[in-house]
């Protein structure tokens, strides 16, 4: 199916923004990234404690992404279930595993550290209470610019369907971005199928849209 001129223009705008935002993130020094990551993870853990959330899905950092490891280690100390995705490139889907120790990780399809199926177990206990989403750019209305693979959009569709089946799944999770403040822009170009986030946390605090939270 041939793309329209408007669709091509939107895709070009997204790609240009991806390049700009990756550069902006890469320009942060290693020390700046570590300090800002620690601050953002502190706000994220406070947010989870306030809502009494007992399980979270979260990425393992890659390249210059905000370092999620302080939040993961906080969750382990607090007894919060840590769920980490494993990418399946053949259909651009994700399998979810519970991570209990760093030793359970191994380099995945894209060189990203992911759960090793021989060392960790699949998560089979329904939807996570919250999903922490990485990305290149975010805005304060729930917009997110990802890497173009559509993995999180597909997961959103799958978990949304599961949330409607009360015999097997819990309600739909909260979807929250977590990023450096330099990744926040006025407006992220979005497609109809793009997942709109429930909020965003950076090293300067958090923004949350009005929505009831999952019960912890």
């Amino acid at each position: 199916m041939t793309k329209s001129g408007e669709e091509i223009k939107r895709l070009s705008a997204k790609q240009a923004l991806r390049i700009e935002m990756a550069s902006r993130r890469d320009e942060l020094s290693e020390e700046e990234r570590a300090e800002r990551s620690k601050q953002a993870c502190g706000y994220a853990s406070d947010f989870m404690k306030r809502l009494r959330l007992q399980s979270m899905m979260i990425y393992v950092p890659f390249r210059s992404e905000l370092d999620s490891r302080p939040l993961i280690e906080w969750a382990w100390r607090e007894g919060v279930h840590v769920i980490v995705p494993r990418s399946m490139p053949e259909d651009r889907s994700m399998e979810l595993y519970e991570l209990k120790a760093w030793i359970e990780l191994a380099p995945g399809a894209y060189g990203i550290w992911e759960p090793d199926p021989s060392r960790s177990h699949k998560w089979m206990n329904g939807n996570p209470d919250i999903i922490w989403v990485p990305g290149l750019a975010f805005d304060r209305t729930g917009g997110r610019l990802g890497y173009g693979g559509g993995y999180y959009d597909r997961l959103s569709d799958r978990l949304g369907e599961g949330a409607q089946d009360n015999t097997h799944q819990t309600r739909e999770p909260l979807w929250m971005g977590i990023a450096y403040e330099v990744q926040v822009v006025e407006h992220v170009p979005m497609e109809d199928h793009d997942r709109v986030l429930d909020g965003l946390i950076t090293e300067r605090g958090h923004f949350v849209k009005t929505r009831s939270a999952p019960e912890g």
Side-chain angles (χ1 to χ4, degrees), residues 29-194:
S29 70
E30 187 174 335
E31 293 76 17
E32 286 177 311
R33 290 200 295 267
E35 181 59 29
R36 296 182 189 198
S37 295
K38 184 178 178 181
Q39 291 170 346
C41 287
Y43 283 118
S45 62
D46 288 345
F47 178 77
M48 290 188 63
K49 282 189 287 188
R50 191 163 64 249
L51 296 184
R52 299 181 182 179
L53 306 184
Q54 295 301 308
S55 62
M56 69 175 186
M57 176 182 149
I58 193 164
Y59 64 95
V60 175
F62 184 61
R63 293 178 179 163
S64 61
E65 286 180 333
L66 184 139
D67 190 350
S68 59
R69 289 174 296 182
L71 184 57
I72 292 173
E73 292 183 347
W74 166 84
W76 284 337
R77 291 193 301 270
E78 296 295 316
V80 174
H81 296 287
V82 176
I83 302 149
V84 174
R86 178 170 178 260
S87 299
M88 310 299 290
E90 57 271 19
D91 61 358
R92 295 191 175 187
S93 66
M94 291 194 289
E95 292 181 342
L96 305 186
Y97 288 78
E98 182 166 12
L99 188 72
K100 295 185 177 181
W102 296 121
I103 193 66
E104 296 177 0
L105 296 173
Y110 302 100
I112 302 169
W113 287 87
E114 298 179 335
D116 182 344
S118 68
R119 301 182 204 175
S120 57
H121 295 90
K122 279 191 177 182
W123 174 255
M124 305 295 286
N125 296 329
N127 291 348
D129 288 339
I130 189 168
I131 296 176
W132 295 106
V133 189
L136 286 164
F138 300 84
D139 63 34
R140 299 195 187 279
T141 60
R144 167 187 174 263
L145 181 67
Y147 300 97
Y151 283 86
Y152 280 88
D153 294 324
R154 290 181 181 84
L155 180 67
S156 173
D157 291 342
R158 194 178 95 205
L159 297 188
E161 291 170 0
Q164 297 172 16
D165 181 0
N166 294 327
T167 62
H168 296 98
Q169 296 283 344
T170 57
R171 58 166 291 167
E172 191 173 358
L174 283 168
W175 287 74
M176 293 285 292
I178 185 166
Y180 307 114
E181 189 69 26
V182 296
Q183 296 176 253
V184 181
V185 297
E186 186 68 26
H187 174 69
V188 172
M190 299 278 282
E191 306 292 328
D192 290 341
H193 62 268
D194 290 337

